[in-house]
Amino acid sequence: YEKFRDALSKLVLNDSSLIYEPEVSDALGFGFRCGFLGTLHMEVVRERLEREYDLDLISTAPSVEYEVLKTDGSIIKCDNPSQLPVPNEIDEIREPVVNTTTISPNEYVGNIITLCTSKRGIQKDMKYFGNQVSITFEMPLSSVIIDFFDQIKSSTKGFASIEYSLIGFQKSDLTKIDVLINNNKIDALSMIVHKSFSTSKAREIAKNLQKLIPRQMFDVPIQVALGAKIISRETVKAYRKNVTAKLYGGDVTRKMKLLEKQKQGKKKMKQLGKVSIPQDAFLNYFSSNE
């Protein structure tokens, strides 16, 4: 941790766009919350830290700061899903909202409107300047910070330019979804999402994690929960040895006995086994397949 802090303080000297502050996570321990210009800047900074300072880092999903109005009238700010109070203490959750202005050639207007609407954007204005168009949307900041820039560039073949400015906080129907791997809740993978997207996002996260988590000697269940209710589940299948390969002839009960013995062994392994989650899982589990 000390080495990491020294490396960041040296890196900031020649990269003024990087900001950082100390952070503590229940699952990952001590670390830093960093601010980047975008995903490319983040990858460059991470590569430099790993190569130049010989560090082994884990990057987690970006998040925004929410305002939570509690039932007793107090307002708290939380930038981590684990800081959210229990549901019966929450009166409302407010999320930061931004005004985004996109300037692009005429032919990509449909692509931009479709993308912004899918990110819960509300169209506010549209102006034409010759064969260029300026489109203004009001959008939640959480939809903008993850992969919005990459998707805008992809849908406009790189021609669009975009800027955004913070308006303030607005009440929204948000909820927290938790990820359980092998029945253990992973704090760093929790997410605050809009209720209308919770089921589809849960399926997406479970499918992505199924691809990212390596196979073990036992089945690894991946569950995404909304409160106490499991809304999505995938399983990483176990490696299996063909225990019946040495058999030839004889009664079927010999085969059943060996398979039952293997089953019991897998069950015991599942109770004692620990799943190591690779670094890619923390950074890529929230990315959409698109």
Side-chain angles (χ1 to χ4, degrees), residues 11-198:
L11 203 60
V12 165
L13 294 174
N14 59 10
D15 186 354
S16 57
S17 53
L18 170 67
I19 58 167
Y20 68 94
E21 59 182 44
E23 171 93 349
V24 182
S25 157
D26 296 343
L28 300 172
F30 291 99
F32 290 94
R33 175 178 290 270
C34 302
F36 305 101
L37 293 174
T39 47
L40 177 64
H41 184 221
M42 180 198 71
E43 284 169 21
V44 169
V45 169
R46 204 176 84 189
E47 280 295 318
R48 285 193 65 186
L49 286 168
E50 289 181 345
R51 287 185 190 180
E52 295 174 25
Y53 301 97
D54 195 29
L55 296 168
D56 188 17
L57 304 175
I58 288 175
S59 310
T60 60
S63 61
V64 297
E65 190 172 69
Y66 295 91
E67 271 187 2
V68 180
L69 174 65
K70 296 176 76 174
T71 46
D72 61 3
S74 60
I75 294 175
I76 61 166
K77 294 200 173 187
C78 64
D79 49 25
N80 194 322
S82 61
Q83 295 170 351
L84 269 185
V86 290
N88 58 359
E89 287 182 13
I90 298 173
D91 189 20
E92 64 181 50
I93 303 176
R94 300 167 188 157
E95 64 179 342
V97 178
V98 293
N99 247 344
T100 64
T101 305
T102 311
I103 296 174
S104 156
N106 289 346
E107 60 262 36
Y108 304 116
V109 170
N111 295 354
I112 293 169
I113 291 174
T114 305
L115 177 62
C116 293
T117 309
S118 70
K119 301 273 187 185
R120 292 194 287 132
I122 300 164
Q123 190 175 334
K124 293 293 182 184
D125 193 19
M126 188 191 291
K127 290 176 185 167
Y128 283 87
F129 309 100
N131 70 338
Q132 297 280 319
V133 62
S134 166
I135 310 171
T136 305
F137 267 89
E138 193 177 283
M139 294 173 66
L141 181 60
S142 56
S143 299
V144 174
I145 61 164
I146 294 181
D147 52 1
F148 182 65
F149 287 89
D150 299 342
Q151 288 182 358
I152 278 278
K153 289 290 183 187
S154 299
S155 60
T156 60
K157 297 183 181 173
F159 284 110
S161 58
I162 183 167
E163 65 169 11
Y164 67 88
S165 56
L166 194 65
I167 303 170
F169 287 84
Q170 277 184 13
K171 179 186 173 182
S172 189
D173 195 10
L174 300 168
T175 186
K176 182 174 90 158
I177 54 176
D178 295 308
V179 178
L180 292 87
I181 295 176
N182 202 23
N183 301 317
N184 295 320
K185 190 187 284 187
I186 310 296
D187 167 55
L189 298 182
S190 294
M191 231 182 183
I192 296 174
V193 295
H194 196 267
K195 270 186 184 162
S196 61
F197 291 108
S198 60

Side-chain angles (χ1 to χ4, degrees), residues 248-266:
Y248 53 93
D251 190 6
V252 72
T253 52
R254 292 179 66 201
K255 182 178 176 181
M256 298 310 295
K257 186 179 172 184
L258 284 171
L259 289 171
E260 188 58 35
K261 192 177 177 184
Q262 184 188 43
K263 188 179 170 184
Q264 293 303 321
K266 297 278 182 196

